Amino acid sequence: MAPFVTLATCALNQWALDFEGNLGRIKQSILKAKEAGATLRVGPELEIPGYGCLDHFLETEVYEHSWDSLFSILTDADLHGIIIDVGLPVLHRNCRYNARAIVLDGKILCLRPKIYLANDGNFREMRFFTPWNRPRHVEQYYLPPHVQKQQGRRHVPIGDVVLSTIDTCLAAETCEELFTPNSPHINMGLNGVEIFTNSSGSHHSLRKLDQRIALIQEATRKNGGVYLYSNQLGCDGDRLYYDGCAMIFVNGDIVGQSSQFSLNEVEVITATIDLEEVRAFRATASRGLQAVAAPEYQRIEVDFALARDALDLDVSRTLPRPPRYHLPEEEIALGPACWLWDYLRRSRQAGYFVPLSGGIDSCATATIVYSMCRLVVAALAEGNETVVKDVKRIAVFGDGKLPTTPEELCGQIFYTCYMGMEKQSSKETRERAKALAERIGAYHTDVNIDDVFHSTKNILTQATGFEPKFRVHGGSNTQNLALQNIQARSRMVIAYYFAQELCEVRERPGGGSLLVLGSSNVDECLRGYLTKYDCSSADINPIGSISKVDLKRFIAWAATDFDMLILKDFIEAIPTAELEPITADYVQSDEVDMQMTYAQLSRFGTLRKVNKLGPYGVFLHLQKEWGGEGGMTPREVAHKVKLFFHFFQINRHKQTVATPAYHAESYSPDDHRFDLRPFLYPPAFESWSFRKIDERVEALERRERGGA
Ligand SMILES: *[C@@H]1O[C@H](CO)[C@@H](O)[C@H](O)[C@H]1NC(C)=O
Ligand SMILES: *[C@@H]1O[C@H](CO)[C@@H](O)[C@H](O)[C@H]1NC(C)=O
């Protein structure tokens, strides 16, 4: 009795195609699990090549290299004495599978291919892999020649199997399967599987962690059992941030949870569990009746016991604890910051450059870089090896001493610049930008771009004799826009120029270039309220899928939590592009310009993408939501809806060149991975949808008149 088992799961910061680094982190996690006394270790989905290889999964060599890595794990005697559940892609009868290898003491016990593939949103697993569409079916997998020799056998079982150890029964589930209504764990549990391993490649999305936790909790609350969830962590070469949070559940209770955002490359958590609790939980008559009727799984016999003798060991059971969540504001502070750090160290560049406009968006980008520096300095203070090594390589000014404050680190790797125009940049924005840079310790420059503006403008006049004017000086709309665009685009050119040269100017040893960060938020992108190839064009954008409403909340939070009083000034300022001259009675304002508020844009974004509604559907929905007593009339709602879709459609082409942004929001308009749409639409105002909206408005107005 008292079959206490210690089990381990982990979050690993893998990088797509970094076979050597990935293998090192996998081995480290196995060693850590062994040190903690664990007899089972689970790792993230496809951890050997990294989850985000995308179309590289179509290349055979990725499969060969993955076998090389697995071979290295099999033949490393330090990794023996523990069951290892490790993720890799395998080729079987010329089909590609997303699989788990379950190994013990250098022997492969079986391969478990994924049954349901993730294929929505950011995921396209069906593009690379075949789903193992035959529950409980098992075949023989022919091992590569060198592995045959080492294993002393030609093949191993591949399929939907479960494993019987001397004292319990375990099985692997892989990611998407948890999200499907008919998950494999149900029948497995009825078949007596007591321990489930769940390996995942799940990315961060704002406010979504509770859904994931609820799903897994549900899985073991109904059915009983132990659930080990593992996930990747960090930026593995793409827009996604995998948000760790490895977890261990027993009968629906959490007994272990690793961090969701962290600079640690390897996080292992363990829990000691009394398997009798699972057996007791399942001792109900109704479960028994279902269990005898459930289909049989083929069992792989494993001559190994997971439990240790509780009498000999000073073991005690790990107690349940509540799940840990971050506030959305903290998620914004931490997720993009960790992503930026991975991007910086992995791209081997010298730092980041941000053009500061004095507005809230570039302020948010800068604050996120500052947050990154806070995390890095905290890890330095604890002497964390990888971080120390990376900082020594990136922050190379001065006497080689490590920075001790975030401001000091910012001073070495973060550059800001205010690019004003004499007539239309206000003193306020210029000073706000400077004060922010000073507070966080960034290397700040302040320039005027009037020369570039006038010489560019004059080129047209020299060529044609025509002189465009701003609207406030009597120019047409087109002229007004063209002149704004010169400024906006010049800023991008200057940003890249500075990013390339500033390290040399400051005599950074070895030179180096900076990465330019973009600062357009998700709502502007959606509405297309930006100039193509202006400062929205950059290397990467940490806030490109975060809404203006959330960014404001984040800044308000950071004002207190990061002790940055200056941020209060940014919140109170009216959002403006400052691309038109200021006159006594005219100051450009974003929300007036767009004829809709950021909160309204956020609703449009959600209804369009998450609720999957077209213009007519959005109108029907919003007419209820915004109409009614004291609300908008149907005609007003129709006007806003049409305006939004008109601009969304004519500006969609801007999304095709949008800077790669951290994925955070479920209504992100990212054209490359997440939100696939055409970029040449028929004219909205002549569209069938708009005609249907008009008909509906007229019908509603008729009814209103009739009723009155
Ligand atoms: C593993 O967890 C994920 C949640 O990230 C879930 O979607 C998936 O279905 C789980 N896998 C299995 C096999 O249950
Ligand atoms: C430093 O490393 C330890 C051990 O890996 C980890 O627990 C801790 O969270 C790290 N500290 C920071 C600030 O990242």
Side-chain angles (χ1 to χ4, degrees):
M1 287 302 287
F4 277 26
V5 295
T6 301
L7 308 172
T9 177
C10 61
L12 302 182
N13 190 323
Q14 303 301 69
W15 185 10
L17 299 174
D18 178 20
F19 286 95
E20 203 162 320
N22 294 347
L23 179 61
R25 286 177 283 268
I26 292 170
K27 288 189 172 183
Q28 211 183 320
S29 70
I30 299 169
L31 292 173
K32 278 192 175 184
K34 279 183 70 174
E35 260 166 46
T39 44
L40 169 65
R41 172 271 183 202
V42 190
E45 187 167 12
L46 295 167
E47 61 195 299
I48 288 182
Y51 181 79
C53 294
L54 299 172
D55 277 359
H56 292 286
F57 283 126
L58 300 172
E59 299 164 1
T60 310
E61 90 168 54
V62 167
Y63 297 74
E64 281 177 20
H65 301 339
S66 296
W67 271 106
D68 292 341
S69 294
L70 184 58
F71 189 76
S72 166
I73 293 169
L74 294 168
T75 52
D76 186 340
D78 289 345
L79 309 179
H80 292 182
I82 180 170
I83 294 182
I84 303 165
D85 175 344
V86 62
L88 80 169
V90 299
L91 262 170
H92 172 61
R93 302 183 181 170
N94 299 340
C95 291
R96 291 162 160 77
Y97 295 99
N98 170 352
R100 310 296 304 169
I102 319 289
V103 311
L104 169 67
D105 294 339
K107 296 285 174 223
I108 301 172
L109 301 170
C110 64
L111 297 174
R112 163 55 156 92
K114 189 166 173 176
I115 296 180
Y116 304 107
L117 298 177
N119 224 37
D120 296 316
N122 282 299
F123 298 105
R124 282 174 191 73
E125 291 180 6
M126 294 279 267
R127 187 175 161 106
F128 329 116
F129 301 116
T130 307
W132 189 266
N133 235 343
R134 303 170 72 181
R136 299 182 312 285
H137 178 74
V138 185
E139 294 174 3
Q140 291 301 325
Y141 178 88
Y142 283 82
L143 297 164
H146 64 302
V147 186
Q148 287 188 17
K149 208 155 146 213
Q150 182 262 341
Q151 295 284 307
R153 62 197 285 196
R154 293 190 61 188
H155 42 65
V156 293
I158 180 170
D160 187 17
V161 294
V162 304
L163 294 100
S164 291
T165 62
I166 289 170
D167 49 357
T168 182
C169 183
L170 60 111
E173 259 191 311
T174 330
C175 202
E176 185 63 9
E177 301 178 2
L178 192 74
F179 292 117
T180 56
N182 186 5
S183 299
H185 64 254
I186 296 174
N187 277 330
M188 288 176 166
L190 290 171
N191 249 256
V193 173
E194 293 179 330
I195 301 169
F196 298 94
T197 62
N198 177 338
S199 306
S200 151
S202 295
H203 60 76
H204 176 224
S205 234
L206 278 171
R207 305 178 176 87
K208 283 289 163 63
L209 181 63
D210 59 327
Q211 286 181 17
R212 196 188 302 161
I213 292 184
L215 264 175
I216 306 177
Q217 241 166 349
E218 173 84 355
T220 56
R221 183 158 283 154
K222 246 200 233 150
N223 220 347
V226 179
Y227 210 91
L228 299 169
Y229 172 80
S230 173
N231 193 13
Q232 222 173 262
L233 183 67
C235 164
D236 85 339
D238 197 342
R239 294 157 169 78
L240 304 180
Y241 178 82
Y242 298 93
D243 61 342
C245 236
M247 287 178 282
I248 304 178
F249 296 80
V250 181
N251 299 334
D253 288 328
I254 296 187
V255 294
Q257 179 182 1
S258 77
S259 23
Q260 187 180 13
F261 307 104
S262 117
L263 305 184
N264 301 324
E265 289 202 312
V266 176
E267 284 204 7
V268 177
I269 55 165
T270 57
T272 300
I273 289 152
D274 180 356
L275 287 178
E276 277 307 318
E277 285 185 33
V278 173
R279 293 163 195 166
F281 189 91
R282 287 179 172 177
T284 66
S286 55
R287 178 182 176 277
L289 287 177
Q290 291 194 357
V292 291
E296 273 289 319
Y297 278 82
Q298 186 164 323
R299 291 185 177 229
I300 306 286
E301 301 297 336
V302 187
D303 203 13
F304 180 77
L306 288 188
R308 297 173 296 163
D309 189 343
L311 298 178
D312 288 352
L313 288 161
D314 183 19
V315 287
S316 58
R317 154 184 174 277
T318 312
L319 296 175
R321 54 153 98 166
R324 251 194 338 262
Y325 299 108
H326 291 285
L327 296 171
E329 293 84 348
E330 287 176 306
E331 291 185 61
I332 295 173
L334 299 174
C338 291
W339 184 76
L340 284 180
W341 180 244
D342 278 344
Y343 200 95
L344 178 59
R345 68 200 185 96
R346 287 181 164 160
S347 67
R348 308 212 152 219
Q349 300 303 305
Y352 285 120
F353 179 93
V354 176
L356 287 182
S357 66
I360 206 149
D361 295 324
S362 53
C363 163
T365 296
T367 306
I368 287 170
V369 176
Y370 178 66
S371 172
M372 174 190 90
C373 291
R374 289 169 56 100
L375 290 171
V376 171
V377 168
L380 285 181
E382 291 178 26
N384 287 6
E385 249 176 77
T386 324
V387 178
V388 169
K389 205 176 86 223
D390 288 326
V391 171
K392 279 189 175 157
R393 188 168 46 79
I394 301 165
V396 292
F397 287 98
D399 49 12
K401 274 214 231 83
L402 291 171
T404 54
T405 63
E407 291 76 16
E408 218 182 304
L409 180 59
C410 264
Q412 297 214 25
I413 63 171
F414 190 36
Y415 297 70
T416 53
C417 180
Y418 183 84
M419 304 182 208
M421 288 276 291
E422 246 159 68
K423 291 241 174 64
Q424 59 242 40
S425 299
S426 63
K427 203 167 104 234
E428 289 78 21
T429 54
R430 195 182 290 269
E431 276 169 9
R432 272 206 300 274
K434 180 153 175 270
L436 173 64
E438 263 168 19
R439 166 63 188 84
I440 63 181
Y443 180 92
H444 186 67
T445 41
D446 183 321
V447 300
N448 273 336
I449 61 166
D450 296 69
D451 289 352
V452 184
F453 172 72
H454 291 297
S455 32
T456 310
K457 177 173 166 248
N458 286 342
I459 290 174
L460 180 78
T461 311
Q462 282 161 19
T464 63
F466 179 79
E467 193 180 349
K469 292 195 187 72
F470 281 110
R471 190 165 42 203
V472 290
H473 300 146
S476 70
N477 249 343
T478 309
Q479 292 169 34
N480 196 47
L481 267 180
L483 293 181
Q484 295 186 49
N485 286 343
I486 297 178
Q487 300 164 54
R489 293 197 175 110
S490 306
R491 291 198 172 106
M492 187 268 281
V493 174
I494 293 164
Y496 272 95
Y497 177 42
F498 274 45
Q500 200 143 38
E501 279 303 330
L502 282 178
C503 286
E504 230 177 317
V505 170
R506 290 181 75 194
E507 299 181 352
R508 179 182 188 267
S513 299
L514 307 170
L515 292 158
V516 180
L517 293 179
S519 301
S520 36
N521 63 59
V522 74
D523 301 312
E524 290 174 345
C525 292
L526 185 66
R527 159 68 173 67
Y529 188 69
L530 49 86
T531 302
K532 204 177 189 179
Y533 305 121
D534 69 351
C535 277
S536 61
S537 293
D539 291 312
I540 50 175
N541 179 357
I543 63 163
S545 99
I546 301 176
S547 73
K548 188 82 165 192
V549 174
D550 280 338
L551 286 174
K552 277 194 176 160
R553 290 174 48 170
F554 159 63
I555 292 298
W557 172 88
T560 334
D561 248 74
F562 290 175
D563 192 19
M564 293 171 69
L565 278 182
I566 173 71
L567 295 183
K568 297 227 156 79
D569 296 352
F570 283 86
I571 299 169
E572 282 150 21
I574 296 170
T576 165
E578 287 197 333
L579 290 166
E580 292 178 79
I582 300 170
T583 63
D585 51 7
Y586 180 73
V587 182
Q588 196 176 16
S589 148
D590 292 358
E591 292 188 332
V592 174
D593 247 14
M594 295 192 291
Q595 301 180 56
M596 56 189 85
T597 64
Y598 280 105
Q600 287 168 343
L601 269 175
S602 202
R603 279 309 283 151
F604 284 127
T606 307
L607 291 173
R608 181 194 69 93
K609 175 74 182 164
V610 182
N611 296 44
K612 303 178 180 73
L613 297 173
Y616 183 55
V618 169
F619 168 74
L620 293 180
H621 193 102
L622 286 180
Q623 190 249 316
K624 296 244 154 63
E625 192 175 312
W626 291 350
E629 281 292 309
M632 294 184 201
T633 65
R635 195 163 284 276
E636 285 164 348
V637 176
H639 175 68
K640 285 240 189 265
V641 171
K642 288 180 177 179
L643 213 57
F644 169 77
F645 277 97
H646 167 71
F647 282 110
F648 167 73
Q649 295 183 2
I650 62 166
N651 285 321
R652 182 64 190 179
H653 67 100
K654 295 180 182 172
Q655 276 302 311
T656 64
V657 296
T659 297
Y662 178 99
H663 176 91
E665 181 54 71
S666 51
Y667 71 87
S668 160
D670 171 23
D671 182 50
H672 302 270
R673 304 290 162 93
F674 186 65
D675 186 43
L676 310 180
R677 317 259 166 180
F679 54 94
L680 176 63
Y681 282 92
F685 280 97
E686 292 161 30
S687 69
W688 199 264
S689 288
F690 278 28
R691 202 178 320 160
K692 301 288 279 189
I693 295 176
D694 290 340
E695 283 169 17
R696 187 82 190 169
V697 169
E698 276 153 30
L700 287 165
E701 285 177 348
R702 267 200 307 278
R703 200 178 64 187
E704 183 72 11
R705 279 197 301 272

